[in-house]
Structures are given as C-alpha cells and as structure tokens.
Amino acid sequence: MVEAGFLEHDYSYTFASRLDERRDGAAALLELATTVAPGRERLFFSGALVRPELGACLLLAISEVALQRYYTPFQVIRSAMDAADPVVSASGSRLRFESFSRCCGVYARADFLAEMLAPESFDKGVTNVDFNPETRAALARVRAESSLCLRVTPEAVALTSERCSTVERKVKLPLRWLRGFAEVQSLAARLECAATLDGPQARRFLTSLPSKIGAKDHLWLTPAPGGVRLSQQPGAGAVSSAGLGRLSAMKPLARHAIGMRIYGGAFGVSAFELDFGVARFLIVLSAAPSRGFSGEGQLLAALMRGEADAALAQIEARLRNVDELRAETLAAETHLPAAEIATALALLATRGAIGFDPRERVHFHRELPFDQTALDSLHPRLKAARALVAEGAVTVESRKGEEISARVRGSSIEHRVKIDGDASRCTCAWHSRTGGESGPCKHILATFAAIELAATS
C-alpha cells in the first residue's frame, strides 16, 4: 500500500533496543531490536566488537544522519519528512549500517569489517534497526575500556528476560529511501578517488569545514601538500562539492581515523570515507543541499532500454551464493551483452537489492523489506514515457548507429529529441532546466521505449 510518498510495511520489534550496562564488571550487551517478516526468524549476528568505543561512535553517527534534515524546502510539512530507522546488512563477513538524512541529500554507511568483529554466530540477512533515545544515550557512555557485545537478531530471544518487552508497531518506509538507495549506488559507481589523507590531515580538513549549510555553499577541493585546499574556483584534479557542513556527523569520528579518502564524480556528487582500519564510515553528498538522491534519475535510461530477463536471472542466482559482484567481470562470466547486464543491475538497484562500494569497486548484496508490488509507483517519468509511446506520440525521424533524432508530441507542443550514445538532449523545459543532470526527461525515455518496441515488433 502506497500512501503520500511512503511504502507501508508492518514491522514487529521483539524488544526495545537497549544497552545493558552490567555492574558486575561483565561485558556490556548491546541488543538492537530488528524487524523481520513472520516465519523467517533467525540470528543474523551475535558476538563482540573489538573496538567498542569506535563501534558505538559509528552507530551514533549513522543515527545522527538519519535524524538530521540538512535542507528544508519551502512550505514543506515537517511531519511528512520523519526520520526512518537505519538499515543493517549482515553478509557473513561484515556488518553494514546505512541511513539517509530526512532530506535524502546525505547517504551514510558504516562498515564493520571482519577485523572489527569477534562473532559467535554470523548469518546473511537485512533488517531495520530501532535506535531509540535511550539506546543513543547509552551508546554515548561507552568508553575504550568497555567490553561491548553486539547482537543483531529478528528473533524474540529477549522475550525470556524480565527486563524486555515486546514492541509491535507499524513503520512507513519512505519511498524516497528506496529511490535513494537505487540512485546512490548508480552515482557511487561513477566516483573516483581524488585525494587520500592521513589521520591528522583528515582531522584538520574536517575541523576547517563550515558548520552552517547554505543553499549556494559550493566549493572545490584540490589535492595539495598536507591535505586538500578549499577554493571557490576549479583547479587540476579538484572535486566539486556542495554543502560541506553536511559532513558534521564525521567530526566526532575524526579522532579515531587513520585516514580519509575523498571521491569526486559526475554531476557534482562527492563522497568522503573515514578509515579506521577495522571499520569505515562513508558519506555521499548530493550535488546541492536542495537536491535529494530520491529525485535523481540516473537509472531511468537503463530501465527503459529493453528486457534483461536472462542477465537478471543469472545475477540473482549468483547473489544467493556470493555477497559481492564486479560489473566488469560479469560480461565475461555470463557471456551476456554489457547493456543487458547494466539493465539487470539497474532493476536490482530499484528493488534495493544491491549497493555499491566506491573503495572496493563492487556491488554488494542487500534485500530491503518492502512490498515489491509497489515498484511501479517509484518512477513517474517511466510511467509517463510509456504513456507517450502508447499514445503514438513518438516519431523516430532518423537513426544512424547510436545517433537518433525523434519528435515527441507533448500536451501543447512538439519536442525534439537528439540521442548520441550516452548523450541525449530534448527541447522541453524540464531538460533545459536540469541539463540532464537528474537523468533523462520523459520524452527521451519515450524515444528509447519506442525504439525498443520497434525492434521487437
């Protein structure tokens, strides 16, 4: 059921997340209340964190991003932009915690690597985590000398404890989160590492950042001796970034970091990753504080370019046995066209089934708990493009290789579409305003669809 931009899903929390601070000197036990569909209860992870204070700080940072709204659009009702619970993925070798800011312009991920974990039990699965105020307050009291055990489970094990209670509640998973996960992995795949800092350089960089976020806060980060230099003008190897004040969740983590990587990419998207040796913390910033990842459309062209049933089936089969995929090796391993593989990966991304790690250059597996039947409501531009094709509004005038010219009839005017490989343009007002940075308009998508329809008819 989709209502007012939310995907409705019933979650059952078997207990309230809590940190049991033992008074007898024993290890403190962190229990995160997770969610799971009925009949699929099992233990995802149980064990100790090798660096308890660092682990607590990372969990607080993920929660902090989910609570923050770094940009508030004019006349937006705040109650319609509530925070959502972070998502935790267990892969059998690492734990990943992911969240978006309320404005969906900041994506954060904390990776607990194998060196961070001392597991007693480890399985593969994905769920939501309940970070309530009491849990955050308890995490803030964890120190380096503490011993901290992490138990991530959808089971009702804690029901046997007198200090636990069963919590049943209905959570509306924002559709913008699902769109955001899909777009972030697409944009992250285009990121390239532009600068590498050591621990002291990373701390100096984060300390130098503005605390306030302006709508026009756009800077260039240029690698320089001793770190990076901030400038309002581009330079050789510079990374374009906006709203650097949105990195505030990283500042408390800087004292633990041994290094930092800065990534630049297409359309002004930037990313910053703190390295702790046993863990990593990544933040991806949208091209402007006013732009949320959920409004991007980088995957739309791939989704419109034909079927990918064969590639989708093969990739899904692989994901049942492995946790990571490298796109560049899939063509050789599956003997399928690269375009079909790209479409299959785009389809998986729209389902929230894969993310992307720009450091390791791999797609990682993740299955979000949402109703698959609601996918059609996620991309209104695709729906509008299909309607234009059904109405016979597209006329392909010429096609020479990858060069395509077409006319698309709008409600009151005819638009001209030009496509040349990956480059495309349209005379409509939407494309003129965005310059294609937010993905193709419905007229370009309709042209792709019309060509595919002609090829199969």
Side-chain angles (χ1 to χ4, degrees):
M1 175 181 177
V2 179
E3 180 182 352
F6 288 92
L7 187 62
E8 199 157 290
H9 189 84
D10 288 332
Y11 288 100
S12 175
Y13 289 89
T14 58
F15 55 92
S17 293
R18 64 196 179 95
L19 181 65
D20 183 9
E21 296 177 287
R22 310 292 176 84
R23 300 182 181 278
D24 56 3
L29 177 64
L30 173 65
E31 292 184 305
L32 296 175
T34 63
T35 63
V36 69
R40 295 189 61 188
E41 294 187 349
R42 69 178 190 269
L43 184 65
F44 289 159
F45 175 84
S46 178
L49 298 184
V50 174
R51 297 272 301 277
E53 185 181 17
L54 172 60
C57 289
L58 289 170
L59 293 175
L60 284 170
I62 283 290
S63 179
E64 175 68 17
V65 171
L67 289 170
Q68 289 299 318
R69 182 186 292 108
Y70 300 98
Y71 175 78
T72 303
F74 182 62
Q75 292 183 335
V76 163
I77 301 175
R78 287 178 178 268
S79 61
M81 301 175 68
D82 290 336
D85 294 329
V87 172
V88 56
S89 306
S91 69
S93 62
R94 70 174 65 180
L95 291 175
R96 291 185 178 93
F97 293 82
E98 301 174 274
S99 68
F100 282 96
S101 60
R102 295 190 188 190
C103 55
C104 218
V106 177
Y107 164 80
R109 190 179 77 240
D111 285 12
F112 289 8
L113 306 180
E115 296 82 1
M116 177 69 157
L117 307 171
E120 296 176 359
S121 178
F122 216 153
D123 199 357
K124 183 176 179 178
V126 181
T127 189
N128 277 43
V129 180
D130 176 28
F131 282 104
N132 55 45
E134 293 76 14
T135 299
R136 291 194 294 272
L139 287 170
R141 294 193 292 270
V142 175
R143 296 293 180 263
E145 63 272 12
S146 304
S147 295
L148 183 61
C149 294
L150 177 65
R151 182 178 177 86
V152 180
T153 173
E155 298 177 357
V157 175
L159 288 174
T160 59
S161 171
E162 294 180 357
R163 293 172 293 179
C164 297
S165 61
T166 300
V167 179
E168 300 282 350
R169 70 176 185 177
K170 182 178 288 187
V171 174
K172 291 182 177 180
L173 182 65
L175 288 176
R176 66 182 184 278
W177 269 49
L178 186 55
R179 291 195 298 265
F181 276 126
E183 296 298 334
V184 161
Q185 73 82 34
S186 175
L187 291 164
R190 308 180 192 188
L191 294 174
E192 297 290 341
C193 184
T196 302
L197 312 182
D198 60 24
Q201 291 170 345
R203 287 188 282 277
R204 286 196 296 269
F205 167 70
L206 290 172
T207 302
S208 70
L209 297 181
S211 57
K212 294 184 179 180
I213 303 168
K216 297 182 179 181
D217 178 16
H218 182 274
L219 293 172
W220 293 87
L221 284 67
T222 305
V228 292
R229 177 172 52 85
L230 302 181
S231 173
Q232 294 183 343
Q233 300 295 328
V239 171
S240 172
S241 188
L244 287 171
R246 294 180 289 172
L247 295 178
S248 57
M250 278 188 160
K251 292 183 178 181
L253 299 172
R255 62 191 177 96
H256 299 285
I258 62 174
M260 184 180 203
R261 290 191 175 197
I262 299 176
Y263 299 86
F267 311 126
V269 173
S270 56
F272 304 81
E273 182 186 64
L274 285 174
D275 186 2
F276 309 97
V278 298
R280 299 176 193 141
F281 186 79
L282 173 75
I283 281 185
V284 183
L285 300 180
S286 63
S290 59
R291 283 176 63 174
F293 288 112
S294 57
E296 300 298 316
Q298 304 304 326
L299 292 172
L300 296 179
L303 292 174
M304 189 61 83
R305 291 177 189 257
E307 299 294 333
D309 292 343
L312 187 61
Q314 290 200 38
I315 294 174
E316 286 180 323
R318 288 170 180 268
L319 288 176
R320 285 193 287 269
N321 300 311
V322 299
D323 298 317
E324 298 175 344
L325 295 171
R326 294 187 182 275
E328 60 270 20
T329 63
L330 282 173
E333 294 172 352
T334 61
H335 306 290
L336 291 168
E340 189 172 340
I341 292 173
T343 301
L345 291 173
L347 288 168
L348 288 170
T350 61
R351 300 174 187 175
I354 56 173
F356 190 83
D357 188 326
R359 181 190 183 104
E360 299 181 7
R361 311 302 303 173
V362 295
H363 292 276
F364 59 85
H365 191 206
R366 178 218 307 120
E367 291 285 355
L368 296 179
F370 69 94
D371 182 5
Q372 296 278 348
T373 62
L375 281 175
D376 289 343
S377 66
L378 296 179
H379 303 292
R381 267 183 272 169
L382 286 182
K383 183 177 180 181
R386 292 190 179 103
L388 288 172
V389 175
E391 294 166 4
V394 181
T395 302
V396 178
E397 294 184 315
S398 65
R399 182 177 184 184
K400 298 178 181 178
E402 293 188 333
E403 296 184 12
I404 301 166
S405 296
R407 292 181 287 110
V408 182
R409 187 175 67 251
S411 56
S412 59
I413 192 174
E414 194 171 62
H415 303 286
R416 311 287 296 190
V417 172
K418 297 286 186 182
I419 299 173
D420 186 1
D422 293 331
S424 57
R425 62 184 185 273
C426 179
T427 57
C428 71
W430 190 91
H431 186 84
S432 299
R433 184 175 67 254
T434 65
E437 289 190 1
S438 293
C441 66
K442 63 182 179 181
H443 309 105
I444 293 173
L445 292 173
T447 302
F448 284 135
I451 290 171
E452 294 292 339
L453 181 64
T456 56
S457 61

